[in-house]
Amino acid sequence: MLHENKASYRDWRAAKLARYPQRVDELQVEIGGLTSFEPGDKGRILECLGRANMAIYTCRDRSVDRAAMRAFSAHFGLLRLDHHLCANDDGVAELTVATEDRRAGYVPYSDRSLSWHTDGYYNDESRRVQAVVLHCAQVAASGGDNDILDPEIAYIKLHDADPAFITAFEHPECMTIPANVTDQGEIRPAITGPVFSYDKRNESLHMRFSARKKNIRWRDDAATTAAREYLANLLADENGPVLNYRLLPGQGLLSNNVLHNRTAFIDGPGQKRLLYRARFFDRVDSS
Ligand SMILES: [Fe+2]
C-alpha cells in the first residue's frame, strides 16, 4: 500500500492532484540539446517529473545518436540500461519499422498500434524498468502519437473508486506473462507479479501493466476483473486524466515509466519514423 498511514496518503493525494497538469503543454520544456544542456534545463525537466513523473522536452540542437541518448540520461541518474532482446549492444533501441532482423516479429518494431502498457512489464522484479527516455528523430507521415498517464494518478483513481482494486493489483500473483518461446527454445520464462508495487526506500510506486488481450494471464477473481475494467474505462475516458501527444523530431519523453500507448502510423516516401529508446533500472529522483 502506498503510504500505510491514512493521513499521509490523504496529504500526498491532495498535493498530487493539485499539481497534476490539466493540459499536456504544461509538461513541455525547451532545452539546448541532448548533449548541450543550458542552465535551468535540468531543473525545468525535474519540475515536470515532480508533477507527473514525465516531461516532454524539445531540443534546439536536434543532433541525436545513441551515445547522446546515454549522455542525456546520465544527467538524471539513469545509468543502468536494460539490455533487452531488441536493443543494440549499447542498450539503446531504435524503434522503426523492421522487416528483416529479429525485431521484425515484435509489434513495437512495426507500424501497428500498441495498446496501453508500461515498459518491461514482462521483466522480473530484479529487472524492473523504472525510467524510459523516448526520443524522436523522425516522425511518420501520419499517426504514431501517444496517450500517456502517470501511474500515480491511475493509483489514486482506482483507490478512490474502491480500495479493493488496489489490494487486487498488489497481489503477487495478479498478472502472469507466459514464457517467450521461439524456434530456438525458451528465451524468457513465465513471469508472475503484481501490477502495483511500492518501494519504501525511495517512496516510489511501480506499475507493471499491459492491456494486451493475448499472452497475459490475469488472476481469476472478481476484484481483479473489476479493477481491470475500471482501469480500462479510465484509460479510455476522453474527459479523464489521460494526456495525448505526438513527438516531433528533436522532442522526447523522459519518464519514470508512465502508462502509454501508440496509434498506428504510416511512413512516407523517404520519411521513416525513428525513435530512440533507452530503458533503465534507475528512477529519476525529482524530490
Ligand atoms: Fe512502450
Side-chain angles (χ1 to χ4, degrees):
M1 178 75 181
L2 183 59
H3 302 283
E4 281 159 8
N5 176 309
K6 276 190 182 167
S8 87
Y9 175 74
R10 209 164 46 230
D11 292 348
W12 173 83
R13 175 190 175 281
K16 178 82 197 183
L17 292 176
R19 295 186 73 206
Y20 195 70
Q22 301 298 306
R23 301 182 321 275
V24 76
D25 56 341
E26 295 175 55
L27 291 175
Q28 285 188 258
V29 174
E30 191 174 304
I31 65 171
L34 292 182
T35 54
S36 47
F37 262 35
E38 291 170 13
D41 286 354
K42 184 176 174 182
R44 285 196 299 278
I45 287 177
L46 288 177
E47 196 203 330
C48 293
L49 267 287
R51 292 176 66 182
N53 277 305
M54 58 183 144
I56 296 167
Y57 59 83
T58 300
C59 298
R60 282 187 287 274
D61 170 6
R62 287 195 197 171
S63 49
V64 54
D65 56 20
R66 301 204 305 266
M69 289 287 290
R70 298 181 65 164
F72 173 73
S73 305
H75 280 291
F76 298 93
L78 304 179
L79 301 169
R80 295 179 298 153
L81 272 153
D82 179 10
H83 288 258
H84 59 90
L85 192 64
C86 295
N88 292 293
D89 290 344
D90 59 10
V92 179
E94 292 169 48
L95 297 180
T96 195
V97 176
T99 50
E100 284 164 10
D101 54 43
R102 69 176 160 200
R103 298 179 301 174
Y106 294 90
V107 185
Y109 303 91
S110 74
D111 53 11
R112 288 150 57 196
S113 63
L114 285 168
S115 60
W116 281 99
H117 64 282
T118 54
D119 275 15
Y121 59 86
Y122 38 74
N123 284 11
D124 66 24
E125 192 181 346
S126 68
R127 302 178 64 245
R128 279 201 178 129
V129 173
Q130 303 279 1
V132 182
V133 183
L134 191 63
H135 183 95
C136 180
Q138 179 60 271
V139 74
S142 69
D145 55 327
N146 301 104
D147 287 329
I148 41 183
L149 180 66
D150 183 347
E152 292 179 357
I153 296 295
Y155 183 103
I156 287 171
K157 297 292 182 186
L158 283 156
H159 188 274
D160 285 356
D162 188 345
F165 292 165
I166 299 299
T167 308
F169 272 174
E170 288 179 333
H171 194 283
E173 291 169 7
C174 184
M175 184 173 103
T176 297
I177 314 301
N180 185 358
V181 181
T182 67
D183 299 344
Q184 285 87 48
E186 181 179 292
I187 51 179
R188 178 186 47 68
I191 301 293
T192 297
V195 170
F196 286 124
S197 52
Y198 184 64
D199 188 339
K200 284 183 184 167
R201 287 167 304 178
N202 55 10
E203 298 185 337
S204 66
L205 180 75
H206 186 268
M207 187 171 190
R208 186 178 157 265
F209 179 74
S210 169
R212 286 179 70 157
K213 299 277 189 289
K214 288 184 193 167
N215 290 325
I216 306 266
R217 275 201 314 272
W218 288 93
R219 187 161 179 255
D220 186 13
D221 76 326
T224 305
T225 304
R228 287 172 55 207
E229 280 176 10
Y230 184 89
L231 179 59
N233 288 332
L234 177 73
L235 296 175
D237 181 0
E238 289 181 5
N239 300 311
V242 168
L243 302 170
N244 176 270
Y245 199 72
R246 184 175 188 240
L247 291 174
L248 298 173
Q251 296 186 329
L253 176 70
L254 168 61
S255 88
N256 281 327
N257 198 3
V258 295
L259 283 158
H260 58 286
N261 65 9
R262 178 187 81 191
T263 61
F265 61 88
I266 300 170
D267 283 337
Q271 190 180 351
K272 201 172 173 202
R273 186 180 191 263
L274 170 62
L275 272 74
Y276 288 86
R277 186 191 60 203
R279 294 169 165 169
F280 296 90
F281 302 135
D282 309 297
R283 177 184 167 89
V284 181
D285 179 5
S286 58
S287 59

